[in-house]
Amino acid sequence: MDTIELTLTIPPVEHAPFLAELEEPATGFVQNDTELRAYVPAERWAAVDQKQLKARLAADGHPDALSIRPLESKNWNAVWEDTLSPVQAGPFLVCPTSVAPPPARDDATVLRIDPEMSFGTGHHATTRLALRLLAEALAPGDRVLDVGTGTGVLAIAACRIGADAARGVDTNPDAVHSSSLSNSSTGKPIILLDRALVLGTCRTSSYRAGRNDCSAPS
């Protein structure tokens, strides 16, 4: 037994707290319209609190939603990335670099991302809603602060539709790396900072609250 698969049969709107709870032990996730699957290496299994998971699911009205099975070892993050497809969000089409944009969506602003282990693929409603809001709120020449940048998709989107520059910050080093891979297509400066620089940057930079800033978590 190299890897354990946990399947939570719950709707996507309820995935977020369980993603957060399993982020440390899990090496990959697969999400769809009916379930969330997490993949935990056997050596990290002790960090999974099954009793707490079951209690939380029961409290949310899903007492029989958890199933567990052992699997042979795989690169589960690669498995997850293979399930990703282009996602429409307002005028944007969030598209993994491994997938060709659908010809029928030629009018969309395509945002190319390499998700790896980072949040911001467009498959979660919060990312899609933030992208739609960004398209409505951003004015040409704005400077953008993207707090919790994940894949960098919001900062990338801002620069694609007229922002002068964007600054993305995140506490997750995988997110910073993933965003660096994703931001080369904008032609605008996107500065990516890790947790150690967040406080100093936010206090000393020109990204102040006001009309010319648009900040949102991704």
Side-chain angles (χ1 to χ4, degrees):
M1 179 178 68
D2 298 304
T3 302
I4 295 94
E5 178 189 67
L6 294 85
T7 301
L8 288 68
T9 308
I10 54 176
V13 70
E14 299 182 35
H15 287 184
F18 295 98
L19 287 167
E21 185 168 339
L22 295 167
E23 180 181 14
E24 288 298 325
T27 56
F29 296 94
V30 173
Q31 297 173 263
N32 59 41
D33 291 339
T34 60
E35 64 187 22
L36 164 66
R37 280 177 277 158
Y39 297 91
V40 180
E43 63 270 19
R44 299 186 190 178
W45 183 241
V48 177
D49 191 333
Q50 297 179 60
K51 183 179 292 186
Q52 179 175 310
L53 276 175
K54 291 177 180 178
R56 189 168 194 170
L57 287 165
D60 291 345
H62 308 290
D64 302 311
L66 178 64
S67 62
I68 299 169
R69 64 168 178 155
L71 300 171
E72 293 183 6
S73 182
K74 288 184 181 181
N75 182 342
W76 293 110
N77 194 62
V79 171
W80 167 69
E81 288 192 20
D82 286 344
T83 69
L84 296 178
S85 56
V87 175
Q88 188 85 38
F92 303 107
L93 184 69
V94 185
C95 188
T97 55
S98 59
V99 179
R105 297 179 182 176
D106 286 342
D107 58 335
T109 300
V110 178
L111 309 176
R112 287 295 202 169
I113 60 166
D114 285 296
E116 295 191 337
M117 288 293 287
S118 302
F119 189 80
T121 64
H123 285 75
H124 196 280
T126 56
T127 305
R128 296 194 299 272
L129 289 170
L131 284 167
R132 291 179 188 133
L133 177 61
L134 186 66
E136 295 172 3
L138 189 79
D142 280 357
R143 295 163 65 82
V144 172
L145 176 63
D146 180 10
V147 180
T149 195
T151 60
V153 66
L154 296 184
I156 294 167
C159 288
R160 290 294 306 277
I161 60 172
D164 272 355
R167 173 164 291 169
V169 295
D170 207 297
T171 62
N172 187 334
D174 288 332
V176 175
H177 174 62
S178 177
S179 299
S180 299
L181 293 175
S182 302
N183 72 24
S184 60
S185 63
T186 66
K188 304 284 184 66
I190 299 179
I191 304 168
L192 301 163
L193 304 167
D194 64 18
R195 174 172 50 193
L197 299 177
V198 169
L199 292 178
T201 300
C202 289
R203 289 173 180 165
T204 61
S205 77
S206 60
Y207 293 76
R208 300 184 300 272
R211 176 65 189 86
N212 290 327
D213 287 331
C214 180
S215 87
S218 61

